[in-house]
Every structure is written in C-alpha cells, then in structure tokens.
Amino acid sequence: MTRNQVGIVGAGEIAEVGHLPVYSSHSSIDVVAVADLNRERAKTVANDYGISHIYEDGQSLIDQEPLDAISICTPPSTHREFFISAAERGMDIFCEKPFALSVQDAERMHQAASQNDITTSIGYSPRYLRNYKKVASYVNTGLLGEPLEGSVRCIVPPPSTSWRYDPDVSGGGIITDMAPHWFDFYLELFETVPEVKDVNLNNIHTSDVEDYGSFELSFGDVDIDMTFRWMKSGMTSKAIRENKLVAEEGNVQFDRDYLEGNITGNGVRFKRGKAPVLSLGPLLNVYPRVNESSHQKAVSEFVEYLSKGTGDIVGSKRGLEVSRIKSRIYNGADL
Amino acid sequence: MKVLVTGATGFVGINLIRSLTNTEHDPVVFARDTNGMNGIPEEISAVEGDITQQGDVERALEKHGCDGIVHLAAIHGRYGAAETQGGIDWDLMREVNVNGSRSVFEAAEDYGVETVVFAGTLKSHPYFEEASDADYIKSKREAQSLLQNNEYEFDWTVVNPSTVVGPHDFRLAHFAMYQLICSNLILAPPMYIPKKINFVHARDVADSIIHYLENPTGACELVTGENTTMRRYCRLISGAKKGNCMIMPLPFAGLYLPFVLDMANRFGLVPVSSSQFNWSDRSVPQEIAECGPIEHKSTKEIVEDTHAWYSDAELL
C-alpha cells in the first residue's frame, strides 16, 4: 500500500485534538512535517507523534516538503496563501473552518482546487454526527415527508483564543465561527442556495466582532430560523446547539446528544445516534455509553478518501457557498 | 408488458415497482400526487390521476400504451393517511375501493388492456365464506365481484395476501414492535400475546402479482406465508438485531395486556397505547398457509429484511 505523506500547518488545539490522533491511527498515513509559529509547540507535537521535520513557517513547509496532503489548522487570514500554494503543488487539502476571510478569497481557493484537481475537505462537523446523519436520512428517504420549517439555536461559550476577536484575522465573530457548520448541514440537506432574510447582528459583550446573530435562511419553501450567541465570558451554563425540523409526516428535535421526534405517528429517540438499551417510554430510557468526535470523523473521512477514493468529504465549492451566505448576512446587517 | 400500477406509492406498490424493474415488464406509476414519491426509482414513468375518474385512467393507459394493469389503490383507514384522519365512513370506502375499481376495470375494457391483476385482501378470498363484515373486507369483496360477474374481455386475477410485511414500509406500519425490541437490550417489554400470525414478504406478494400478470387465472388466488406465533416473531426480531434480548413467555397475556398497556399509557409511563399493536389472531387455517405461485420466504427472512430496511433508514 502506498502511504500518503502528510504535513500539518498550525500545531494548535485543533491539530492535536482533531487531526493528529486520526492520522497517527491510520496505517496509510505518515505525518512527516509540522509547522507552527511557536517552535516549541511544533517541537512538542513532533515529539509526541514522531514527526521528523519541524518548521516555523507554513509556507516553507509547503515549499520544501514533497507532500501528498496537508492539514491547514491556522487562523483564517492565512488560509488563502497556504491553500493556493498547496493546491498548486498538487497536495490534497483538509482546511479548517472558517474557510476564507472573504468571498473573493474563497473563489480563488476553489478555483485553485479545481484547476489542480485536488481533493479537499473543510472542518464543518455536524454532518458527521450520528443524530444529524439520521435526520438527513429521514429527509432524503422521504420518511419525514416534505420539510416545512425549522430552527437552529446555538448558544455557546465564547472562544478562548484571542485572534477570534480580531476581524482581520478571523473574518468575523460567531457567524464566522459557528454558523458555517449549520450552513453546510442544511446546504447538503436541501441542495439549494438559500435566501437570507431578517438579519440581526449585535455585539453585546464584544467590541470588534459580533457575538449575536439571528436570521432566516429560506431554502425554497423551507424557512430555517437561526440564532447564534456567544455567552457572556465566564458563564458556566451548558452550551445549546439545538435543531428543530418540522415536515409533513413528522418532526424532529435534535442536537449532538439527543434526537427525539415523531415520524408518521411513531416516536423515535436516540442518544448520539444509538437507541436505548432499556426503554420504558418517557419514564425511563437508558442509553449505551457512546463517544463521538465529529471532528475526528471529518478528518477520518478525508483519510478514507485519500486511501480508497470514497468518503464523505466537503469540497472547496461548499466552502465558497458558505462564504457567500456569510457575506450576505454581514452585508444585510447594520453592525 | 407495459403495466399501469395504481396505488404504486403504497407499501405493496413500491415493492412491486422495484420488482418489475428487474423483469422485462415496464411499470408506469399512477398516483394522485407524483411529487416526492418515496421509494420509487426516479427513472420510472409516472402519471397523475384519480382512480375514481375513469377518464384519468383511460388517459394514462393511452399516454403510455399500457397492456396490463395492476390495481392496488385502496383506502383501508389503518395508517392515518390524510384522507382517513378523523375516521372514514362506508360511503368514502365504497367510493374509492368499489367505484374506483369499477372505473379502473371499465377503462381497461374500453382501452383494450390484456391483463388485470387486482389486490384483494386475505378475508375477501372466497375461502372465507363466513368472513367478518368489516367495511374494508366488504368493499374488497364487492370490487372482486365486479371482475367475477362482468364478462370483461381482459384476463384477470385477484391476489389475496395475508399480512404483508417487508422493506420500504414508509408508513411504518410494522415498526412499533421492531423499535420496542431493538430499544431493550436485556428484556423486551412483553407486547405480544399468545396468538398466531401469518406474514407474507412484500417482495413475495410483488413477485406473485408479476406471475399472475404473465399467467392470469380468472380466479382469486391466496398468497400466504407460514403460520407462526407472535412470540417467535418477536424472538426473530430480537435475533435480527445486535444482542439477543429475552422474550419471556406470557400465559393468558391477551386477557390483561391491552388493558395494562392502556393504563400505563394513561399515566405517561409508556409512549404507546394498545391501539398501536394488532392483538388479533392473524394466522390462517393451516390448509391455506404457505399458498402462492412462487416459493415464499420464511418469517425469518421477512424479519431480517424488514429489520435491515428500518436499520438502513436510521430508525433503529
């Protein structure tokens, strides 16, 4: 079996949690190089995963290493440069989200990927969660009937990394940070570009980027109301990432943990995609213990695609579509 | 043969259309609404119409040049379909199941169709002379008699299946038992009673219909599976899933189980009521079990295929 030589640009948390554990567990992958502005961090990661080449600068890694694929785990302001030069060298790319700072950047990145005929994936993760996959299956098979309306409510703690509050580096606040995950999921589900309506953005606890956003995406006749909010810093309440979808034959309510709903009069309930092991209706449901990392799954599907040519990957075209929705939201709001 | 299938979007219809695509025959879907037809492959031709309007059926036959009809469309008031919500009365059932059938048969005669296969129900077969006078069965008998009493030019067969179970069950008619057993690892809640069932695989019914399209008999033909107990059925479901849960014997459960279940449901302890399960004996007399023109699938195969479909649909 040919082994794929992979490099990592950006050795921060996402690389350590989402990428390196997956790459190191696949026999078809050799991670041969890592780059980080913080050389000490790159060194630690290299030691932990037996990576032989260390760089301080991502561009040098791309220029000097003959790689098959690369993971871009740096802040968004660096994506365009790394992505395009890796694409021009024929490397397959897993790019973390936010994909690009602007629609223009996303267009150029998508163009580079198409022209060089490379495989890409982007770190949009809900589509890989079992509960979300179930809902997608109910819609795609027609079990739920025609979708009518839905909602997304995402209330999460604010990020701890400082660059996310600098729009020149991050591209925006919570709409850039969290919403693309759902844009990807619903674009995949409805296979149509939505209209953006009723945009309301605000910075309640932040100064340069929005920490609140609400709007409606209309996918044909199906309106999905979306609300995103970073909690006040220091708050310890549990994050909420809940979805509701109402269709002609039933409705479902789901997040990564629980999926409950009713399909043609039959109740369904799952925890992380698994049925209970003991069920007495609403009185008692005992579920098996299940761990699930959507991010690792995303990288894992990318690896599958590299080695076998099949896998659920997110093409750069989706990155462009998501960037366009995001841009319409920012342009439709008076921040 | 080009075959117009009424009721193609129903449970038997979907299985029939899929089976027909593996034969030399060419199906055409006839449905009131051809948008978003679950389970029907996209390449299948479809035409919209109402079976109670003879002109609709004739236009469909003419448009596609059909030489056969499989008439499955009917209402039975079981699954809560839009038109049956709030209950259906005899007038509506007669209008669709009897007058609708008449207009299909008359259209077939006028257009010069060669063969018609009509789906009756088990108890509308002449074997059951003393059948109950349930409206649905009565309506099917009346529709059958149209074929028996009119001297139509076309060849015909009535197929009388027992309870049809299998994949592509978009109405989830048999889902409750699978869900219950698959949601309990150790012990299945005892929702079965010591009665017997006779299930026939949806694909076997489909293949039997195709057989009679090719070999019409001018009679009512039974299509049945093996008789088995409700408990064995539950054990087979348990065997089809990962981890085999216990299915306890429950003596005399028929006397108290529906009552206990409804009580538990009233107090919010369980999400199902007794009306979601069929508590009647659904077996057939042994002499007419395992009838049909083709080799039938065992109850084990029925359960495995049904479980696989519910699983693939991410329902279990």
Side-chain angles (χ1 to χ4, degrees):
Chain A
M1 183 172 52
T2 349
R3 293 163 72 92
N4 287 291
Q5 310 284 301
V6 174
I8 309 258
V9 179
E13 191 188 347
I14 196 68
E16 280 211 81
V17 175
H19 294 240
L20 285 158
V22 180
Y23 287 143
S24 65
S25 68
H26 274 80
S27 55
S28 64
I29 300 287
D30 268 338
V31 182
V32 294
V34 60
D36 199 290
L37 288 174
N38 180 338
R39 195 174 175 84
E40 282 311 304
R41 190 158 64 196
K43 241 181 185 173
T44 314
V45 165
N47 281 339
D48 290 349
Y49 289 92
I51 303 167
S52 40
H53 301 157
I54 300 166
Y55 295 82
E56 269 180 39
D57 160 28
Q59 195 56 51
S60 310
L61 180 148
I62 294 166
D63 290 342
Q64 290 170 35
E65 294 286 333
L67 300 170
D68 297 305
I70 188 173
S71 272
I72 301 177
C73 305
T74 47
S77 56
T78 61
H79 285 186
R80 185 187 65 185
E81 191 190 342
F82 292 154
F83 190 99
I84 292 173
S85 46
E88 284 168 350
R89 284 161 180 77
M91 298 174 191
D92 296 322
I93 303 171
F94 190 108
C95 182
E96 273 307 326
K97 61 92 207 168
F99 181 60
L101 284 188
S102 66
V103 174
Q104 290 75 10
D105 283 1
E107 274 167 353
R108 291 180 60 184
M109 288 158 77
H110 172 54
Q111 196 184 19
S114 309
Q115 280 170 352
N116 294 286
D117 196 22
I118 57 161
T119 298
T120 63
S121 200
I122 306 170
Y124 304 138
S125 53
R127 63 152 72 197
Y128 298 105
L129 292 167
R130 292 193 200 94
N131 283 351
Y132 284 71
K133 275 174 179 277
K134 279 188 183 292
V135 172
S137 160
Y138 300 155
V139 172
N140 293 334
T141 56
L143 270 166
L144 266 179
E146 287 296 312
L148 300 171
E149 60 178 274
S151 66
V152 174
R153 183 169 290 268
C154 171
I155 301 170
V156 293
S160 52
T161 34
S162 57
W163 60 261
R164 289 192 186 272
Y165 301 92
D166 177 352
D168 294 336
V169 181
S170 65
I174 187 153
I175 299 305
T176 296
D177 179 28
M178 296 305 292
H181 288 302
W182 279 269
F183 297 163
D184 170 57
F185 177 72
Y186 285 99
L187 278 166
E188 192 72 13
L189 194 64
F190 296 125
E191 294 175 337
T192 175
V193 176
E195 250 184 87
V196 177
K197 293 180 195 163
D198 300 335
V199 178
N200 180 16
L201 301 183
N202 210 339
N203 24 7
I204 301 164
H205 305 294
T206 48
S207 47
D208 300 323
V209 293
E210 81 289 349
D211 61 357
Y212 171 86
S214 73
F215 47 88
E216 186 177 285
L217 296 189
S218 292
F219 295 87
D221 294 336
V222 192
D223 295 339
I224 310 282
D225 277 321
M226 298 192 174
T227 304
F228 294 87
R229 187 191 288 274
W230 277 335
M231 294 172 195
K232 192 176 163 189
S233 179
M235 273 181 72
T236 52
S237 27
K238 194 171 174 274
I240 296 170
R241 295 180 185 87
E242 63 180 26
N243 302 260
K244 285 179 188 165
L245 189 63
V246 180
E248 279 181 347
E249 301 288 343
N251 56 74
V252 284
Q253 190 169 334
F254 60 102
D255 57 19
R256 64 179 300 144
D257 290 328
Y258 292 98
L259 160 60
E260 286 192 15
N262 193 298
I263 304 172
T264 62
N266 291 270
V268 289
R269 57 183 75 217
F270 298 96
K271 183 176 180 185
R272 297 201 172 186
K274 299 288 179 190
V277 289
L278 172 65
S279 174
L280 289 174
L283 183 70
L284 177 70
N285 282 290
V286 179
Y287 291 93
R289 198 183 168 84
V290 186
N291 289 322
E292 188 178 29
S293 164
S294 55
H295 216 104
Q296 289 193 2
K297 181 75 179 146
V299 180
S300 186
E301 290 284 336
F302 177 65
V303 171
E304 284 288 303
Y305 203 96
L306 295 186
S307 53
K308 296 181 187 150
T310 57
D312 182 10
I313 52 165
V314 184
S316 53
K317 184 164 175 254
R318 176 56 49 82
L320 174 58
E321 289 166 344
V322 166
S323 298
R324 283 184 177 142
I325 297 176
K326 211 175 68 179
S327 151
R328 264 178 252 137
I329 289 169
Y330 284 135
N331 290 334
D334 301 312
L335 192 60
Chain B
M1 193 184 285
K2 196 135 200 184
V3 189
L4 188 74
V5 182
T6 74
T9 54
F11 183 29
V12 173
I14 295 167
N15 280 282
L16 174 65
I17 296 284
R18 299 176 82 94
S19 291
L20 277 168
T21 55
N22 296 323
T23 67
E24 64 202 22
H25 305 301
D26 197 2
V28 177
V29 168
F30 184 84
R32 277 173 302 167
D33 184 359
T34 55
N35 289 320
M37 295 187 297
N38 292 336
I40 307 267
E42 271 178 27
E43 65 274 14
I44 303 292
S45 318
V47 52
E48 284 191 359
D50 181 343
I51 57 162
T52 60
Q53 306 300 315
Q54 193 176 324
D56 285 4
V57 184
E58 276 172 16
R59 265 190 298 279
L61 291 170
E62 204 167 358
K63 185 177 174 200
H64 290 278
C66 296
D67 30 29
I69 296 183
V70 176
H71 175 37
L72 304 172
I75 52 168
H76 38 58
R78 245 185 308 164
Y79 303 149
E83 71 275 16
T84 66
Q85 275 172 6
I88 52 171
D89 58 17
W90 169 240
D91 288 342
L92 178 61
M93 195 169 263
R94 194 162 197 285
E95 174 62 17
V96 176
N97 295 4
V98 183
N99 293 340
S101 296
R102 181 180 288 114
S103 86
V104 171
F105 301 151
E106 293 294 331
E109 184 77 352
D110 289 353
Y111 182 70
V113 159
E114 285 170 31
T115 316
V116 172
V117 177
F118 171 58
T121 183
L122 178 72
K123 295 268 171 90
S124 66
H125 189 274
Y127 179 90
F128 296 92
E129 282 174 10
E130 300 294 319
S132 74
D133 57 359
D135 285 353
Y136 178 64
I137 297 166
K138 221 161 61 183
S139 71
K140 282 288 182 183
R141 281 202 160 183
E142 229 175 280
Q144 272 170 216
S145 68
L146 297 172
L147 289 170
Q148 289 158 330
N149 300 336
N150 288 306
E151 295 193 345
Y152 289 124
E153 290 281 317
F154 54 77
D155 294 323
W156 60 269
T157 312
V158 177
V159 170
N160 302 90
S162 58
T163 307
V164 186
V165 180
H168 308 293
D169 174 19
F170 283 94
R171 289 262 149 221
L172 307 185
H174 300 281
F175 176 62
M177 192 61 91
Y178 287 78
Q179 183 186 38
L180 202 66
I181 293 174
C182 295
S183 296
N184 286 281
L185 190 65
I186 300 159
L187 177 71
M191 295 300 189
Y192 44 89
I193 52 177
K195 284 199 171 160
K196 287 192 166 179
I197 49 167
N198 186 296
F199 288 165
V200 58
H201 199 297
R203 212 167 295 137
D204 284 351
V205 177
D207 290 345
S208 300
I209 289 170
I210 296 169
H211 173 90
Y212 289 121
L213 265 178
E214 294 161 354
N215 309 285
T217 63
C220 295
E221 304 289 352
L222 287 161
V223 179
T224 58
E226 56 181 326
N227 281 329
T228 191
T229 62
M230 213 40 209
R231 184 169 168 234
R232 176 164 175 266
Y233 178 61
C234 293
R235 290 175 87 151
L236 288 171
I237 297 174
S238 171
K241 73 182 177 94
K242 265 189 225 159
N244 218 330
C245 71
M246 201 199 295
I247 311 287
M248 292 190 315
L250 279 178
F252 309 111
L255 295 177
Y256 53 83
L257 201 53
F259 174 74
V260 171
L261 189 61
D262 284 337
M263 278 296 126
N265 178 262
R266 184 172 296 177
F267 291 107
L269 301 182
V270 293
V272 288
S273 68
S274 67
S275 62
Q276 280 168 273
F277 295 87
N278 193 330
W279 304 94
S280 58
D281 190 315
R282 284 176 288 167
S283 64
V284 303
Q286 196 54 39
E287 61 178 348
I288 60 158
E290 303 181 44
C291 271
I294 56 159
E295 199 178 328
H296 70 91
K297 293 184 181 60
S298 66
T299 309
K300 186 164 185 275
E301 287 170 285
I302 295 174
V303 167
E304 283 169 357
D305 286 358
T306 310
H307 179 271
W309 190 82
Y310 290 141
S311 281
D312 291 347
E314 298 280 356
L315 287 162
L316 294 176

